[in-house]
């Protein structure tokens, strides 16, 4: 299990005579290959920052990468994707992408700490496919979807994707969209491997998703398979309820 550091343990002194920025806090859990991620107060309101690591800040190649990511993600607007607000200089860390505050816990951490809940499973079945569909519809080239870049917000466990786009493409190839489905299946399989209860219908969808030549090749087919699974669950629940009610009625009739 990874050693996670509390939010308060990584508070960083920040010198800002204007008073705009305060309470800068590094989030090691959200670290990326070339980026550090922070929470900070801007004019007293919590936001998040994504900035180049110190060794890359003055390198024109890496500065171009963060600028490209800002341009790619700035116009994306989806409730399950961390929203970008600005790109500006922040004292001590240089140019940073400023996003909405989405502080919470990665799916990786929730798996490691055995804190998976039914609500999280439901979000993975509904909100994650919706976010994937939006990314693909906008032809966004992105990093593989893994438990590390799926975040659940601290208070209401809403799903948010981070690290979702670094470039646009005129069109996504079939292998790109299929790879998203495979990665989704791998993610669900890992979640199911760490649940005490068995969810065979969801496991069946995940197993079909990871098959390179399987029946699920795009998000529409994935959502259809998940809906069929959900409808099966509802039908079985209704049948069980009807059987119980019939049993109650039979017992009552016998008593009279």
């Amino acid at each position: 299990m990874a050693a996670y550091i509390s939010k308060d343990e990584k508070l960083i002194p920040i010198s800002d005579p204007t008073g705009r920025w305060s309470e800068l806090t590094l989030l090691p859990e959200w670290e990326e290959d070339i980026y550090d991620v922070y929470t900070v107060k801007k004019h007293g309101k919590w936001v998040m920052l994504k900035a180049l690591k110190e060794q890359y800040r003055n390198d024109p190649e890496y500065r171009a990468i963060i600028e490209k990511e800002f341009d790619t993600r700035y116009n994306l607007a989806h409730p399950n994707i961390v929203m970008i607000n600005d790109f500006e200089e922040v004292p001590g860390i240089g140019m940073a992408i400023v996003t909405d505050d989405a502080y919470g816990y990665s799916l990786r951490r929730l798996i490691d700490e055995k804190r998976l809940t039914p609500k999280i499973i439901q979000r993975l079945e509904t909100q994650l496919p919706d976010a994937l569909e939006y990314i693909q519809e906008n032809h966004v080239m992105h990093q593989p979807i893994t438990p590390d870049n799926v975040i659940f917000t601290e208070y209401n466990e809403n799903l948010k994707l981070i690290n979702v786009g670094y470039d646009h493409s005129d069109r996504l190839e079939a292998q790109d969209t299929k790879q998203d489905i495979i990665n989704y299946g791998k993610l669900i399989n890992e979640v199911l491997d760490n649940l005490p209860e068995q969810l065979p219908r969801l496991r069946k969808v995940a197993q079909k998703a990871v098959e390179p030549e399987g029946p699920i090749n795009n998000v529409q087919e994935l959502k259809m398979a998940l809906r069929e699974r959900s409808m099966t669950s509802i039908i079985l629940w209704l049948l069980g309820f009807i059987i119980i009610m019939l049993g109650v009625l039979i017992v009552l009739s016998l008593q009279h």
Side-chain angles (χ1 to χ4, degrees):
M1 181 188 298
Y4 295 106
I5 300 172
S6 72
K7 189 176 180 182
D8 294 335
E9 286 180 292
K10 297 301 292 183
L11 192 65
I12 300 170
I14 184 170
S15 177
D16 180 20
T18 68
R20 179 193 298 183
W21 304 98
S22 63
E23 298 188 48
L24 180 66
T25 305
L26 179 66
L27 301 178
E29 180 185 343
W30 294 37
E31 178 184 18
E32 299 177 25
D33 289 341
I34 64 171
Y35 297 120
D36 283 327
V37 179
Y38 308 81
T39 61
V40 68
K41 282 187 177 179
K42 179 183 180 183
H43 298 301
K45 178 184 176 181
W46 284 109
V47 296
M48 300 186 77
L49 305 175
K50 183 174 182 176
L52 291 169
K53 293 178 183 292
E54 186 174 3
Q55 62 267 35
Y56 303 124
R57 287 175 194 165
N58 297 317
D59 188 317
E61 179 183 354
Y62 290 100
R63 288 177 68 94
I65 290 173
I66 192 171
E67 290 169 6
K68 182 67 174 178
E69 180 163 342
F70 170 75
D71 290 340
T72 298
R73 293 180 56 190
Y74 183 67
N75 290 316
L76 297 181
H78 190 277
N80 302 120
I81 293 174
V82 175
M83 303 291 292
I84 284 182
N85 299 323
D86 213 338
F87 185 54
E88 59 184 297
E89 185 81 24
V90 179
I93 64 172
M95 293 300 295
I97 294 173
V98 184
T99 76
D100 288 344
D101 180 30
Y103 180 75
Y105 306 100
S106 68
L107 179 58
R108 169 66 59 216
R109 178 170 183 170
L110 295 172
I111 290 172
D112 288 348
E113 295 182 347
K114 303 187 185 305
R115 293 167 54 195
L116 297 170
T117 66
K119 184 183 284 188
I120 287 172
I121 305 304
Q122 189 268 339
R123 302 282 201 243
L124 292 171
E125 290 188 60
T126 56
Q127 294 182 348
L128 183 52
D130 282 348
L132 283 175
E133 185 173 43
Y134 178 81
I135 290 170
Q136 291 186 1
E137 286 176 346
N138 284 274
H139 303 164
V140 178
M141 305 298 293
H142 56 277
Q143 301 294 339
I145 303 300
T146 70
D148 300 282
N149 54 29
V150 175
I151 300 295
F152 290 90
T153 54
E154 188 172 22
Y155 298 111
N156 54 17
E157 293 184 339
N158 274 332
L159 184 148
K160 298 281 186 179
L161 279 182
I162 60 172
N163 193 21
V164 297
Y166 56 84
D167 203 356
H168 277 113
S169 175
D170 291 337
R171 62 187 296 270
L172 295 180
E173 300 298 331
Q175 61 264 29
D176 296 322
T177 55
K178 175 59 178 179
Q179 191 58 51
D180 280 341
I181 302 304
I182 291 173
N183 290 336
Y184 178 87
K186 289 178 179 178
L187 181 149
I188 295 298
N189 274 329
E190 182 173 355
V191 167
L192 295 176
D193 288 343
N194 286 275
L195 284 177
E197 63 271 23
Q198 298 296 310
L199 300 175
R201 288 180 295 276
L202 184 55
R203 176 75 79 177
K204 186 176 180 180
V205 172
Q207 295 292 65
K208 288 181 178 179
V210 299
E211 295 176 18
E213 305 298 329
I216 303 176
N217 295 291
N218 55 57
V219 177
Q220 291 72 33
E221 291 173 353
L222 173 64
K223 294 174 80 170
M224 186 178 297
L226 290 168
R227 279 197 298 269
E228 289 174 358
R229 191 201 74 81
S230 298
M231 286 303 299
T232 300
S233 298
I234 292 170
I235 291 169
L236 290 174
W237 182 88
L238 287 173
L239 286 173
F241 178 77
I242 292 169
I243 290 170
I244 291 171
M245 292 306 298
L246 286 173
V248 170
L249 290 173
I250 291 170
V251 170
L252 290 174
S253 65
L254 291 175
Q255 290 177 345
H256 294 286

